[in-house]
Amino acid sequence: MAASGGPIDEMDASLASVETLWNWTQTFATSAAAEMIPEQWRTDYSLAFGFVPEVQYRRTLYVAQAWQSYVFSVLHRLDPSTRIDLYRWAGTDHHYYNDLVYRAEFISDLAPSLRHLQIWVADGVNRPERVDLTKFMAWFSTQFAEWIALAGDDPRGLSILAPLVERPLSDFDPLRNPPEFVSEPRVAPQKSAPALAQLEEDEFMIAPRDFDPDDLAAGQPLDSEVVHQALLEMDASLGGGGTITDPAEWFSVEQADVTLGTVAGATIFIADGAVRGVGFEIGEITEKEWRTLSKQMRALAKSLGVHFAPDQDESWKANQ
C-alpha cells in the first residue's frame, strides 16, 4: 500500500477504514503498481489443489489474504476476546481443518469465515457485479453484525500500518527473527473494575414490527412461557437476584415490571390476556454482560418470530 501511494495513514483499524481499504483494493489490483506482486505467487488453495488462477486474480488474492489480518485487527479493537479459530460444524465438536473463522466470546456455533472474506475481496475486482462498495459493506455488516454493534461512534485514530513500513522485512520473519520466550513466571495483573458498555440506546423492545402502544390488542400475541424462560435465563446471566414473576401474575395487569439482576429491567405488556411485547431498560452494564444479554434478547425475538430494536428506532411502524 505504501509503495503504491495508497492511503496507509488512514488504516487505523476503524470500521470506516474498511471502506477505504475496499476502494484502494479495487484501484490497486488493476493498476500497474500490482506488477510488484510476483507472477509466480500462488495462494494456499492453489498450492493445495493444483490449479493456477490467471495473473490478475492471483494478484488480487495476494491483497485479499492481507485483508484477513487487517479485519482481525478491526474486530480485535472492538472486542479483545476476538481470535482466529478452526471452523466447527454447528452444534457439534467436529472441526473443519480447511477453513478458519473469526470468533469471540459472544459467538457460539456460527462465525464469519476468513476464506469467504478473501473470496469477496477478490471477486470485487474480478466480478463486475461485486465491485460496488455498498454491496460489499451490506455483506460485511451482516457477517460481522455482533462486532459492529459494539462500535458506537468508532472514533478515528493513528494508522496501525504506517509504523510497519519503517521496519525491515526480517522483523516479520520468524525464522530469521524468532520470538523471545520468557521463562520467568508471569505476574498476574492487578484486577480492575470491568469496563462498562457505552450504549447509544438504553431502551429496547421485542414485539411485532407493527407493535402499537396505543392499541396493544391489535398485535400478535407472544408465547408467555417462552418469554418467562428467556427472562429467567437473562437474570441468571446477569448474576441472578432479579424479580421474575410467574406469567399467571402478568395477566391481571396491563404491564408487569421485573428486574434482571441489578443492571436491567423488563416490562411485559399485556392485552386481552396475552403478552404483546417486552420492553427492556439497561442500566450500568459491563461490556461482557451486554454482549451476553443482547445476544439473549436477539435469540428471544428470533424464537418468537418478532422484531428486536431500540424502542425509538424507525424500524417500528409506530415511529415512522
Side-chain angles (χ1 to χ4, degrees):
M1 179 178 284
S4 66
I8 194 165
D9 291 331
E10 298 178 45
M11 296 294 101
D12 59 356
S14 65
L15 287 173
S17 71
V18 173
E19 298 187 15
T20 304
L21 182 57
W22 174 267
N23 290 329
W24 173 79
T25 301
Q26 311 310 304
T27 302
F28 172 78
T30 55
S31 70
E35 295 178 4
M36 68 179 67
I37 300 173
E39 289 189 15
Q40 297 79 14
W41 182 83
R42 303 271 296 279
T43 69
D44 48 0
Y45 283 91
S46 172
L47 292 171
F49 297 107
F51 65 88
V52 183
E54 59 89 20
V55 173
Q56 179 173 302
Y57 196 76
R58 290 209 305 278
R59 287 171 170 166
T60 309
L61 285 172
Y62 183 90
V63 177
Q65 285 200 166
W67 265 75
Q68 298 171 342
S69 297
Y70 186 78
V71 168
F72 172 80
S73 297
V74 174
L75 303 179
H76 190 267
R77 185 179 64 86
L78 296 173
D79 184 343
S81 77
T82 301
R83 65 189 187 281
I84 293 176
D85 199 1
L86 290 172
Y87 175 81
R88 184 175 67 245
W89 291 108
T92 73
D93 291 327
H94 176 71
H95 290 83
Y96 185 59
Y97 292 94
N98 290 330
D99 208 353
L100 298 174
V101 296
Y102 299 103
R103 201 179 296 282
E105 287 182 2
F106 58 92
I107 297 290
S108 53
D109 289 329
L110 299 177
S113 164
L114 275 71
R115 185 162 59 94
H116 289 169
L117 173 66
Q118 181 184 14
I119 291 172
W120 249 97
V121 174
D123 284 354
V125 173
N126 296 280
R127 291 175 57 183
E129 70 272 18
R130 284 197 173 182
V131 171
D132 186 68
L133 171 63
T134 303
K135 289 182 179 179
F136 170 72
M137 290 308 298
W139 174 85
F140 188 88
S141 298
T142 300
Q143 292 291 305
F144 300 98
E146 288 85 354
W147 282 274
I148 292 173
L150 304 173
D153 293 334
D154 197 31
R156 303 303 300 266
L158 298 176
S159 172
I160 64 170
L161 299 187
L164 305 181
V165 177
E166 306 302 324
R167 295 171 57 181
L169 290 177
S170 59
D171 281 4
F172 307 99
D173 185 343
L175 297 179
R176 298 174 61 185
N177 188 33
E180 296 182 5
F181 295 94
V182 180
S183 59
E184 292 83 1
R186 295 182 179 181
V187 178
Q190 293 184 347
K191 292 186 177 180
S192 57
L196 295 179
Q198 303 299 314
L199 305 181
E200 294 184 3
E201 305 285 349
D202 59 7
E203 295 184 356
F204 298 83
M205 277 292 298
I206 291 176
R209 195 181 294 269
D210 58 359
F211 174 84
D212 184 352
D214 296 323
D215 188 11
L216 295 178
Q220 167 191 337
L222 308 182
D223 190 320
S224 61
E225 291 300 330
V226 172
V227 172
H228 182 245
Q229 182 59 37
L231 292 177
L232 290 174
E233 293 173 0
M234 292 177 192
D235 177 55
S237 72
L238 295 174
T243 59
I244 312 301
T245 51
D246 189 89
E249 299 182 28
W250 301 348
F251 301 126
S252 61
V253 295
E254 292 184 354
Q255 58 184 56
D257 296 317
V258 300
T259 59
L260 306 173
T262 59
V263 297
T267 298
I268 302 98
F269 294 94
I270 307 295
D272 286 355
V275 176
R276 306 292 174 166
V278 184
F280 295 89
E281 184 172 357
I282 313 302
E284 291 190 345
I285 190 170
T286 67
E287 293 178 351
K288 184 176 181 179
E289 289 171 334
W290 172 243
R291 286 196 298 269
T292 301
L293 180 60
S294 61
K295 182 178 178 181
Q296 290 172 317
M297 290 192 291
R298 290 191 186 95
L300 173 57
K302 184 176 181 180
S303 68
L304 295 170
V306 294
H307 190 49
F308 167 68
D311 70 342
Q312 296 301 313
D313 195 81
E314 291 185 359
S315 59
W316 299 107
K317 289 189 177 180
N319 294 336
Q320 293 175 0

